[in-house]
Structures are given as C-alpha cells and as structure tokens.
Amino acid sequence: MDLPHHGYRATKPRARAAPPTADSVLFEDTSSAAPAMNSQGYYTPGYNMGAPTSDMQAGTGVDNLFTDPMANAAMMYGSSLANQGKDMVNKEISRFMSVNKLKYFFAVDTRYVLKKLMILMFPYTHQDWEVRYHRDTPLPPRQDVNAPDLYIPTMAFITYILLAGMALGIQKRFSPEVLGLCASTALVWVVIEVLVMLLSLYLLTVHSDLSTFDLIAYSGYKYVGMIFTVLCGLLFGSDGYFVALAWSSCALMFFIVRSLKMKILPSLSSDSMGTGSSAKPQFRLYITVATAVFQPIIIYWLTSHLIR
C-alpha cells in the first residue's frame, strides 16, 4: 500500500555508539611526548624556549673580557701602576724609618715583659745593666732584658688612656672631648721630650748609639709608673696617689740614669783623658740627669687631674 508523501523524508535509523571499553582513557598523556613543531620548524608557544638567561650572558661577557686584547692590556697597565705605587710608598717610608729596625723593638715575649715590668717598678734589685751584642748588633729584647722595646710603652699608653677614661667616668666628668685631650696631651709630651733629647745631643755634639726609637722607648716607660700612680689614687685616695707618685718617680729616675749611662756615658773615662774633650763628659752627665729629673714632672702633670 502506497502511503502518500506529505513532505517528510524517510530517514535511516541511527546507529548507537558503542560504550567505552576498559582500555580507553578520558585524557591522553602527553607528558612524555616531544613538543610539537609548526610548519616553519619552530617550537610551539606552549614550551618555554626563551632567550638566554642572565647567567649565560654574564659568562659570555667575562669570556669576552678575558679574550679582548685591549682589556688585557689595560689590566696589565693597571697592575704595573699599582706595583710602582707600592714601591714608591715603601721607599718613602724607608727614608724615615726602617721597618726591620721597627720589628726589632717589638720582638718580645711574655718572659721579657714580666721581667721588664719588675725592673721598671723595682730597679734597685737589678745588677747587670749592660746591653748585650752579637757581632756588633744588639740582641733583640726577648734575648736581652736590658734592650729597649716599644711594646711595653705602646701597651702602657693605651692602658693609661683607658684608665683615664674610667677615672673620669667615676668622677662624672667623662666626655669624648676630655678623653681625646688627655690622649693627645700625653702623646705630645713624649714627642716634645724626644725632640729636646735629639736637639740636645746634636747641639752638644754628643756621639752615642741612641736612636730615635731608643729615645721613644725610654720616654714611653713612664706610662707604667703613671698607671700604677692612678690605680693607687683611685683605690686609696690622694694619700695613696702621692705615695705611689713618689715611688714610681724614684724608680723611673733610677732606671733612666742606669740605662742611659750605658748609652750616653760609655766612654766617660776615655774622654776625660783626651785633650780638649773634658767638657763632653759633663754635657753627657747633664743630659742624663736632666732626662731623669724631667720624668716625675710629666707623671704628675698627666695624672694629677685624674685624682680628686
């Protein structure tokens, strides 16, 4: 039986899709897959293949610096200038002081320091004051207790400044300006004393083996007595201060006379026997005594204002 056509098409029955099997997965794993490339041979934007990092650029710059002949020449020229400047500085320093000689005055050990401090405070018990030599060269301080050194004066100066700051702080008078004035005054007195000694030896034409470092060392030993005086003044008052001042002054005067006697008056008897040189031993004796008498005055001047 023929059915009339009313504008409908005859459709075919649609086939249903088969259910997913157990082997199929929802998403495909692409972690191990190689990055896709487009038709022009470049990697796709999904993968970061950017410009070189800063470390790579820095490494390249350093390599270029060492391979550049102009940079190498500039580095060599700068190094030669630095070496020339170092040599010039060492040469100028050597004109005014010998570094090796300065090391000689700091060649000390603990045994030397303890024995030297005992001699400075109790010089009356010391018998042998002669400086020892080896092949016309004086032995270093650690081998000869009579040799002058700069270690004890330097440490004593620093200790004196710290002790002065403590004394001023106890008396409620501490200030950086006062402490700086105390340090500069103590240093200036040493410089003045050394200059006066050098000028006296030069004007009186007194020949001795005293060097500038020797004079600085002997002048700096007074700080040991100053430390002892200030400590006694802080602990026992003004009475303890004056007792310690008298003891340290007498001990330092005795030490200076006996030490400089071996330096300034080594040939007193031989000079007195010569013709026209009878005044020189007297000048040497005057310089030695004046240097010793000047020490208590400086000790009192630099310590009296710290005790009240």
Side-chain angles (χ1 to χ4, degrees), residues 3 11 39 51 71 75 110 112 117 185 210 262:
L3 294 176
T11 58
S39 60
M75 292 176 63
T110 305
Y112 167 83
L117 292 177
T185 303
L210 278 174
M262 308 305 300

Side-chain angles (χ1 to χ4, degrees), residues 177-287:
E177 292 79 11
V178 175
L179 188 62
L181 180 62
C182 182
S184 60
T185 303
L187 188 61
V188 167
W189 272 114
V190 173
V191 174
I192 292 176
E193 183 179 356
V194 172
L195 291 179
V196 170
M197 282 285 296
L198 291 175
L199 184 62
S200 301
L201 294 174
Y202 175 76
L203 293 178
L204 299 177
T205 62
V206 176
H207 300 284
S208 66
D209 57 350
L210 278 174
S211 64
T212 305
F213 291 135
D214 292 329
L215 296 178
I216 295 175
Y218 288 121
S219 178
Y221 285 136
K222 69 171 64 68
Y223 293 117
V224 177
M226 292 166 59
I227 294 170
F228 174 72
T229 304
V230 174
L231 281 177
C232 291
L234 293 177
L235 295 176
F236 306 106
S238 59
D239 295 337
Y241 168 77
F242 285 107
V243 171
L245 177 63
W247 178 269
S248 59
S249 298
C250 294
L252 184 61
M253 290 173 61
F254 187 86
F255 173 82
I256 291 295
V257 170
R258 293 303 301 268
S259 298
L260 293 184
K261 181 181 178 181
M262 308 305 300
K263 295 284 188 178
I264 298 180
L265 306 173
S267 56
L268 181 60
S269 59
S270 62
D271 286 346
S272 61
M273 296 176 60
T275 57
S277 60
S278 59
K280 283 188 177 182
Q282 297 178 2
F283 290 155
R284 295 178 180 182
L285 183 61
Y286 293 157
I287 292 175

